[in-house]
């Protein structure tokens, strides 16, 4: 049985920061009034990457 840690690894921290970044990007997109395509074009983001993280964030929150 694995012992529960009281700390996060660098990899876990990095992953959490990435999800935090995308959570706020997705929120920013929704509040912008732009379509996802226009928002992504304006922010130099691939729409496929946006949708990929949108799904990941939904899975984490649900």
């Amino acid at each position: 049985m694995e012992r529960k840690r009281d700390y996060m690894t660098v990899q876990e921290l990095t992953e959490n920061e990435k999800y935090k970044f995308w959570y706020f990007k997705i929120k920013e997109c929704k509040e912008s009034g732009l379509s996802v395509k226009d928002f992504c074009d304006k922010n130099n983001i691939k729409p496929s990457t946006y949708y990929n993280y949108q799904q990941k964030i939904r899975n984490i929150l649900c």
Side-chain angles (χ1 to χ4, degrees):
M1 182 171 13
E2 189 174 317
R3 186 177 156 218
K4 186 175 178 179
R5 299 172 299 183
D6 294 330
Y7 60 90
M8 296 176 68
T9 64
V10 172
Q11 183 179 7
E12 289 169 332
L13 181 60
T14 302
E15 190 170 317
N16 284 343
E17 289 299 314
K18 187 176 4 177
Y19 288 136
K20 184 178 176 182
F21 169 84
W22 279 103
Y23 171 82
F24 285 110
K25 273 295 175 197
I26 292 164
K27 185 177 179 191
E28 181 183 342
C29 176
K30 293 187 182 301
E31 293 173 350
S32 73
L34 298 171
S35 68
V36 171
K37 182 186 180 318
D38 291 340
F39 180 82
C40 289
D41 287 345
K42 183 178 176 185
N43 289 277
N44 199 27
I45 298 170
K46 290 182 182 179
S48 60
T49 302
Y50 175 92
Y51 287 119
N52 183 29
Y53 277 99
Q54 183 181 50
Q55 186 61 44
K56 288 180 181 185
I57 298 297
R58 277 188 187 144
N59 289 340
I60 290 169
L61 295 176
C62 293

